[in-house]
Amino acid sequence: MFVKQVSVFLENKEGRLYEVCHVLGDAGINIRALCIAETADYGVVRMIVSDPEKAISVLRNSGFTVSETDVLAVVVPDKPGGLAQVLRILKDAMINVEYLYCFIEPGTDRAIDIMRVENTEAAINVLKDGNVEILTPAEVYGI
Amino acid sequence: MSIWSPEYETMPEEQLRELQLKRLRWVAHWVYERLSFYRKKFDEVKLRPEDITSLEDLKNLPFISKDELRKNYPFGMFAVPLDNVVRIHSSSGTTGKPVVVGYTRGDLNTWSEVVARIASAAGVKKGDICQIAFGYGLFTGGFGLHYGLERIGATVIPVSAGQTERQINIMMDFGSTVLVCTPSYALHLAEVAEGMGVKKGDLRLRVGLFGAEPWSENMRREIEERLGIFATDNYGLTEVIGPGIAGECQERNGLHINEDHFLVEVINPDTGEAVEMGESGELVFTSLTREAFPVIRFRTRDLSRLIPGSCPCGRTFVRMERVKGRTDDMIIVRGVNIFPSQVESALLEIEGVEPHFQIVVDKKGHLDELEVRVEVEEAFFPDAMRKLVEFQKKVEDKLMASLGVRTKVTLVEPRTIGRTAGKAKRVIDKRMY
């Protein structure tokens, strides 16, 4: 049920992000979504890819520090207030969002939000109750 | 420049060796009768104190290490009853138990004497106003210089370490003429003084007595230029007495060792054999007059060499070059002794993992900066940024607590720390000496 996000630890210096993307490209892995959290010295690159297992293994073999995290992929209407509507459900259920990043699915009126929450199971339940569409891993990897 | 104790400091060599031998025999008897530690050492090599008839005979005795002294924590190496110990100092204890040293009234007298000599050699005299910016406490720096300078008759201001702006105000208001501190702190003082708008002409500083850490000729020039001071180097070790073992004269071509109190040897640290005169090696000291805490053939782990030939200043005491390094991996950061093993155990304690790390020492402005680079491994790579920052902070706090020096922790990618034969290169020292 959970979408596997691949996180990579990177030093904040030139060429490192390229190296990650290059390794994945060579392995024929497509990056669906990517975001970076950074400090002055280092950062964490978070990615949704077409094949998380393979991505983790090729990155590890290339010497990167990699981890796998359960995240949610939530469908949000691509219109003003769309995201707020989803977040309200989580707020009311007292579920904290650790981080979130979005991308728009081309040719549709919907956006996909990748969310890391404190309690993933509970979040799924309340979102489902609120009629929010949650994508399956297969749907996400193959978008 | 006046010589404080010319009868000793300019003693003809032959006479000096005779005096050393007489005192060596005294200390040999002293420790043999009082400390089973030394008696065992003598007995092992079947040497009786009365068998010592030349300085060469000392070479029959084994060396002693800091570890052996430490094992006798706290007072096991005191050769007199505690009743007769009037002062206690101690090493910092960064690698475990500290070495605790005791001083009899006679020892304090000797200490004042040897410090008075090195201060006079540097150019300090009665009438000088001496600002001591070394820490006062168990550390020997503050008190050691204090009593030696008082002995000269100089005016001593025991400011102790830190509070830089206050130091500068005192320096101006009291008209300090002598500054006592570490060389890096002298540069820091200069920087802060400049920032406060103080001009070189506002200060009356004349002589600097600097020690407790390695420094360079470049640093010396810079200190002199910025503070308008005559900067001198001196050397000491808590285990032997503290500051006062050796100091520079006006020639500043090596530090004269107070040979009537401290017998020096230079050895090859790997074989323990004496090196040729003038060659580099590890300094080994035997105290010739200490009562409460005598040491016989103490291995300092400091690397230096003796300078052959006589000094134009007239002193006959042999000169040692300023210390060039260590035989172990100890580094000195802002006057504090640090071993990589301390960082290792701090990291191990935090996450239960033993990551690859590297210590980088550099100068930021004039103060030493300590950075610890830690390779982030999957065992402790949380996806949450907050946890990474927390980890970093935790390591910094832990290192601060165990080293006593603020450390910047930098998280780096795996395998970015250079390794030699699979082992990470633990220390990179970018400071120039």
Side-chain angles (χ1 to χ4, degrees), chain B residues 300-403:
Chain B
T300 63
R301 304 238 161 236
D302 284 328
L303 293 171
S304 178
R305 62 181 275 268
L306 299 181
I307 302 171
S310 59
C311 181
C313 78
R315 287 176 184 79
T316 49
F317 287 164
V318 72
R319 290 161 296 166
M320 57 175 262
E321 227 170 46
R322 66 156 48 110
V323 170
K324 278 191 294 244
R326 300 269 308 170
T327 63
D328 55 20
D329 50 8
M330 186 182 92
I331 43 174
I332 303 179
V333 178
R334 281 177 243 154
V336 178
N337 300 345
I338 289 169
F339 288 88
S341 55
Q342 292 173 272
V343 176
E344 194 170 324
S345 53
L347 287 171
L348 197 62
E349 246 175 78
I350 291 168
E351 289 297 300
V353 290
E354 203 186 326
H356 275 290
F357 69 92
Q358 188 168 54
I359 299 167
V360 183
V361 199
D362 203 353
K363 286 227 178 276
K364 190 169 187 183
H366 296 298
L367 285 184
D368 296 334
E369 280 276 294
L370 186 65
E371 180 192 4
V372 173
R373 293 181 181 160
V374 181
E375 284 188 1
V376 172
E377 283 158 24
E378 295 191 1
F380 61 98
F381 171 48
D383 159 69
M385 205 66 179
R386 175 169 45 82
K387 287 189 185 144
L388 271 180
V389 175
E390 265 167 25
F391 170 73
Q392 196 178 355
K393 177 84 173 50
K394 209 151 86 178
V395 178
E396 280 176 353
D397 290 348
K398 179 82 199 169
L399 291 175
M400 177 70 202
S402 69
L403 306 179

Side-chain angles (χ1 to χ4, degrees), chain A residues 5 7-11 16 37-39 41-42 44 46 60 63-67 69 98-99, chain B residues 374 376-378 381-389 392 408-416:
Chain A
Q5 169 191 263
S7 302
V8 185
F9 177 85
L10 283 187
E11 278 175 60
R16 299 311 295 151
E38 100 285 0
T39 68
D41 301 319
Y42 61 85
V44 177
R46 299 179 176 127
R60 264 186 197 147
F64 288 101
T65 297
V66 191
S67 77
T69 316
E98 284 186 14
Y99 57 80
Chain B
V374 181
V376 172
E377 283 158 24
E378 295 191 1
F381 171 48
D383 159 69
M385 205 66 179
R386 175 169 45 82
K387 287 189 185 144
L388 271 180
V389 175
Q392 196 178 355
K408 175 183 168 20
V409 170
T410 308
L411 302 180
V412 299
E413 289 173 33
R415 276 165 286 267
T416 50

Side-chain angles (χ1 to χ4, degrees), chain B residues 189-202:
Chain B
L189 275 168
E191 204 157 73
V192 174
E194 283 155 25
M196 288 165 70
V198 176
K199 304 267 179 312
K200 204 157 59 171
D202 300 337

Side-chain angles (χ1 to χ4, degrees), chain B residues 97-350:
Chain B
K97 288 261 187 255
V99 175
V100 179
V101 298
Y103 300 77
T104 62
R105 208 167 284 288
D107 290 331
L108 289 185
N109 189 37
T110 302
W111 197 10
S112 300
E113 161 73 18
V114 292
V115 172
R117 289 181 190 173
I118 60 155
S120 296
V124 181
K125 51 189 192 322
K126 183 172 162 59
D128 269 314
I129 301 171
C130 308
Q131 181 160 343
I132 300 183
F134 267 144
Y136 277 69
L138 287 174
F139 171 58
T140 50
F143 280 100
L145 266 299
H146 183 106
Y147 286 98
L149 290 166
E150 275 192 2
R151 172 70 59 93
I152 288 179
T155 308
V156 174
I157 319 172
V159 194
S160 194
Q163 301 194 58
T164 308
E165 292 197 3
R166 177 163 164 258
Q167 298 270 5
I168 291 156
N169 288 329
I170 287 172
M171 210 178 275
M172 289 200 294
D173 298 345
F174 296 11
S176 307
T177 57
V178 174
L179 175 63
V180 179
C181 60
T182 61
S184 58
Y185 191 64
L187 277 175
H188 181 64
L189 275 168
E191 204 157 73
V192 174
E194 283 155 25
M196 288 165 70
V198 176
K199 304 267 179 312
K200 204 157 59 171
D202 300 337
L203 302 173
R204 290 185 56 214
L205 292 178
R206 219 166 56 71
V207 178
L209 291 169
F210 302 125
E213 68 181 14
W215 53 316
S216 65
E217 280 308 309
N218 279 341
M219 257 177 103
R220 176 173 357 230
R221 272 192 293 276
E222 199 178 342
I223 292 170
E224 297 200 319
E225 171 57 35
R226 294 172 77 172
L227 288 175
I229 207 169
F230 183 79
T232 63
D233 191 17
N234 64 78
Y235 173 79
L237 279 170
T238 305
E239 293 84 355
V240 178
I241 197 160
I245 295 176
E248 282 180 331
C249 64
Q250 301 292 298
E251 301 296 324
R252 298 193 295 186
N253 179 22
L255 293 76
H256 289 282
I257 296 171
N258 280 305
E259 288 190 276
D260 54 336
H261 294 286
F262 314 107
L263 187 63
V264 66
E265 296 172 78
V266 183
I267 60 162
N268 175 328
D270 300 324
T271 64
E273 297 291 317
V275 301
E276 293 289 316
M277 176 61 183
E279 283 187 9
S280 295
E282 179 180 342
L283 295 174
V284 172
F285 285 104
T286 297
S287 67
L288 296 174
T289 52
R290 293 274 273 126
E291 296 169 340
F293 197 92
V295 287
I296 308 277
R297 304 196 90 195
F298 176 68
R299 289 188 66 155
T300 63
R301 304 238 161 236
D302 284 328
L303 293 171
S304 178
R305 62 181 275 268
L306 299 181
I307 302 171
S310 59
C311 181
C313 78
R315 287 176 184 79
T316 49
F317 287 164
V318 72
R319 290 161 296 166
M320 57 175 262
E321 227 170 46
R322 66 156 48 110
V323 170
K324 278 191 294 244
R326 300 269 308 170
T327 63
D328 55 20
D329 50 8
M330 186 182 92
I331 43 174
I332 303 179
V333 178
R334 281 177 243 154
V336 178
N337 300 345
I338 289 169
F339 288 88
S341 55
Q342 292 173 272
V343 176
E344 194 170 324
S345 53
L347 287 171
L348 197 62
E349 246 175 78
I350 291 168

Side-chain angles (χ1 to χ4, degrees), chain A residues 54-68:
Chain A
K54 192 172 167 196
I56 288 170
S57 117
V58 295
L59 286 168
R60 264 186 197 147
N61 289 339
S62 301
F64 288 101
T65 297
V66 191
S67 77
E68 190 188 72

Side-chain angles (χ1 to χ4, degrees), chain A residues 41-100:
Chain A
D41 301 319
Y42 61 85
V44 177
V45 179
R46 299 179 176 127
M47 294 176 289
I48 302 298
V49 297
S50 54
D51 185 347
E53 297 300 316
K54 192 172 167 196
I56 288 170
S57 117
V58 295
L59 286 168
R60 264 186 197 147
N61 289 339
S62 301
F64 288 101
T65 297
V66 191
S67 77
E68 190 188 72
T69 316
D70 291 336
V71 291
L72 291 176
V74 174
V75 176
V76 174
D78 187 13
K79 64 175 190 199
L83 179 58
Q85 201 182 314
V86 174
L87 293 178
R88 188 192 174 87
I89 295 170
L90 294 172
K91 175 183 84 102
D92 288 346
M94 308 272 283
I95 293 170
N96 186 31
V97 178
E98 284 186 14
Y99 57 80
L100 167 161

